[in-house]
Structures are given as structure tokens and as C-alpha cells.
């Protein structure tokens, strides 16, 4: 899926924020603009470094708060890991990820589970599936060398 155009991202952001009682701020717009344009899955620190040239006074705490607001509004996804680290994804459609165990890079997987596979898993008699997230772990091309 291609990143959203700047205009489409701005309209989507305003609508999502207003529907949840939040207002559009310059900081939120900058954070969302970066997140919706990137195909990587940045940490809050990486988002901070990326938006700081345009907003020199933005704090890391403000970036964290705005990322959490975007997640709460359903226009970003937080990928949380057992080691306590988190990355953020501007794509909210159903898709899966690959994560390098060496460098930590997270990328979108090229395919998703087929609907028939999901149905088969959902048919388990002693468990009701309400959703799922799939992450494949391994080594990226750079780290596998």
C-alpha cells in the first residue's frame, strides 16, 4: 500500500481527531505527516528526530503523546514488543510484519494470511478469536550476511 498523499493524510487526520474530541495541532500534523509518509515503522525517538527540523521546539514527550493520540483515534498502530520497545505504523489496514532479530528493523510483509486459513483457526472449539497480529521474525538481508 502506497503512503497517503499530504492532502489525503491531512483530511484523514482532521476527521479522526475531531470525531474523538481532539483538535488538530501543528505538532500532531507533523507527527502524522511523517508517520503516514514513511514505510518504516519508527520508534517515538525516530519520529522525534524526523519532525524536529521543522519544529525545533517539539519535545520527545509531545511526540509520545501525539503518537498515542493517533493510536487512540485509530489512524496509527502501536507495535509493542515484549522487551518494552514500541514502533508505530501509519498503515491501519490488515497487514503483517517482519522483524529482524539483529537490528530490530520492522517491515511490512508482502502477503497476509488467506481468509481460509483465518477461518480454519477461528473454528477452534475452545477459543473464540477476536483478532490477530502476525509478525515473522528472522534476519533482514543486511544482517544475514
Amino acid at each position: 500500500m502506497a503512503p497517503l498523499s499530504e492532502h489525503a493524510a491531512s483530511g484523514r487526520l482532521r476527521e479522526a481527531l475531531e470525531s474523538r474530541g481532539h483538535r488538530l495541532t501543528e505538532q500532531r500534523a507533523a507527527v502524522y505527516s511523517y508517520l503516514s509518509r514513511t514505510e518504516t515503522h519508527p520508534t517515538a525517538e525516530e519520529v522525534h528526530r524526523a519532525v524536529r527540523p521543522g519544529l525545533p521546539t517539539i519535545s520527545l514527550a509531545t511526540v509520545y503523546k501525539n503518537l498515542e493520540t493517533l493510536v487512540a483515534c485509530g489512524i496509527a498502530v502501536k507495535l509493542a514488543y515484549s522487551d518494552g520497545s514500541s514502533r508505530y505504523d501509519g498503515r491501519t489496514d490488515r497487514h503483517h510484519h517482519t522483524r529482524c532479530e539483529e537490528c530490530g528493523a520492522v517491515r511490512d510483509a508482502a502477503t497476509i494470511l488467506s481468509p481460509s486459513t483465518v477461518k480454519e483457526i477461528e473454528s477452534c472449539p475452545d477459543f473464540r478469536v477476536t483478532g490477530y497480529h502476525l509478525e515473522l521474525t528472522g534476519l533482514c538481508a543486511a544482517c544475514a550476511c
Side-chain angles (χ1 to χ4, degrees):
M1 179 177 185
L4 292 174
S5 72
E6 192 71 28
H7 179 70
S10 176
R12 182 175 183 221
L13 174 61
R14 182 179 300 282
E15 183 180 309
L17 289 169
E18 289 176 356
S19 72
R20 296 285 183 115
H22 298 283
R23 60 188 186 87
L24 179 60
T25 64
E26 184 179 20
Q27 292 87 355
R28 283 189 184 129
V31 168
Y32 183 68
S33 176
Y34 174 73
L35 199 59
S36 66
R37 285 190 330 264
T38 186
E39 292 186 7
T40 66
H41 299 74
T43 63
E45 292 83 0
E46 291 167 338
V47 174
H48 183 245
R49 280 193 299 275
V51 301
R52 208 154 167 227
L55 294 170
T57 61
I58 193 169
S59 69
L60 181 57
T62 298
V63 170
Y64 270 107
K65 288 176 193 173
N66 282 300
L67 286 167
E68 293 302 323
T69 298
L70 297 176
V71 170
C73 289
I75 55 175
V77 175
K78 183 177 184 177
L79 307 170
Y81 299 103
S82 60
D83 65 0
S85 66
S86 297
R87 291 180 170 272
Y88 295 86
D89 192 349
R91 280 185 61 184
T92 57
D93 62 310
R94 171 70 68 189
H95 67 284
H96 308 307
H97 298 102
T98 61
R99 182 169 54 95
C100 179
E101 295 170 324
E102 184 71 28
C103 69
V106 177
R107 301 281 185 252
D108 293 332
T111 61
I112 62 170
L113 288 178
S114 71
S116 62
T117 301
V118 174
K119 286 260 186 238
E120 189 176 322
I121 294 167
E122 288 175 333
S123 68
C124 181
D126 57 348
F127 188 80
R128 186 171 71 89
V129 176
T130 59
Y132 71 93
H133 302 276
L134 176 66
E135 178 182 81
L136 304 167
T137 58
L139 296 175
C140 70
C143 292
C145 297

